[in-house]
Amino acid sequence: MVSDEKSGQVGASAGRGAARTRGRPRSFDRATALEKALMAFWEHGYEATSVSDLTRVMDIGAPSLYAAFGDKRSLFEEVVQEYGVRYGSFGTRALDEEPTARAGTERMLREAAVEYTVPGRPHGCLVIHAAANCSTPEVEESLRQRRNANIAAIESRIAADVDAGVLPPTTDAATLARYTGAMIQGMSQQARDGASRAELEALVEIALAAWPRV
């Protein structure tokens, strides 16, 4: 038999063990939680999405959020990276895989019309809209750099076609790239405002009409 003293020690240890178990943060699937955060930021933007909003949609407590992702800004940075891989890479693929800058741009615009209007998820582009009315300069600047990098990639592709004689030597690569960026950003806003896939696709031929031909 166990003495009363030992029984008390065992009971106290068991009680402490139960308390520790109850106090542990609930386990969760990190990838699923990150996807839920992505959707929240995509829908509402960085500024309007609070930590309490995030813990609610991610179904985790604030301590678990901070332990797994850091603060809100760190979580957002990871969300933007994930968005670029899962949802925002179609433009880069189009420029890389098509034989000319014009063909790449056409594919990019057509795929944007599809991607920006997929049912069941936020419309438009997170990188274009998530920092609207943002009071955190670092977040705003980070997304601005990404948008400008996209325009720079288009410009580089156009310039290569000019050098190769695919486009006329008088082509203004910088302006044409910025025009294309403006089309992408405009399509994203139109999608946020309710434009359909067909309505956005109708813009593509008009956008391509501005491109010079040899």
Side-chain angles (χ1 to χ4, degrees), residues 27-206:
S27 62
F28 62 95
D29 183 82
R30 193 180 189 281
T32 299
L34 180 63
E35 177 70 5
K36 291 177 178 178
L38 189 157
M39 291 297 164
F41 281 126
W42 193 353
E43 177 69 28
H44 304 291
Y46 179 82
E47 192 76 12
T49 305
S50 66
V51 171
S52 61
D53 292 330
L54 291 167
T55 57
R56 175 177 51 80
V57 300
M58 297 166 77
D59 194 27
I60 61 175
S64 295
L65 185 153
Y66 291 127
F69 299 102
D71 58 14
K72 175 183 168 181
R73 181 179 162 194
S74 297
L75 172 59
F76 181 72
E77 289 173 356
E78 187 169 346
V79 158
V80 172
Q81 292 286 345
E82 183 72 5
Y83 175 86
V85 172
R86 295 195 58 188
Y87 303 104
S89 60
F90 63 89
T92 299
R93 288 197 306 270
L95 288 177
D96 288 345
E97 295 173 2
E98 294 302 319
T100 67
R102 189 180 190 280
T105 297
E106 178 177 3
R107 173 175 159 185
M108 183 193 307
L109 294 174
R110 292 194 186 283
E111 292 190 10
V114 176
E115 293 294 329
Y116 291 169
T117 57
V118 171
R121 75 185 193 203
H123 286 177
C125 172
L126 180 148
V127 173
I128 293 172
H129 299 291
N133 300 317
C134 182
S135 62
T136 306
E138 295 83 0
V139 170
E140 189 175 28
E141 178 60 22
S142 174
L143 295 188
R144 182 184 299 113
Q145 288 178 0
R146 285 178 174 273
R147 294 191 296 269
N148 286 336
N150 291 337
I151 293 173
I154 298 169
E155 180 180 349
S156 177
R157 192 71 172 83
I158 295 170
D161 276 7
V162 173
D163 292 341
V166 177
L167 289 170
T170 55
T171 301
D172 186 337
T175 300
L176 188 55
R178 191 158 294 281
Y179 166 78
T180 303
M183 286 299 305
I184 288 283
Q185 292 176 22
M187 289 172 69
S188 179
Q189 183 60 58
Q190 287 290 308
R192 298 280 288 193
D193 289 344
S196 68
R197 170 181 170 177
E199 288 172 327
L200 295 182
E201 287 177 333
L203 301 175
V204 177
E205 291 302 326
I206 297 174

Side-chain angles (χ1 to χ4, degrees), residues 2-22:
V2 180
S3 69
D4 291 342
E5 180 180 354
K6 290 183 177 178
S7 298
Q9 290 173 346
V10 170
S13 297
R16 286 195 297 271
R20 283 197 297 270
T21 300
R22 286 194 299 269

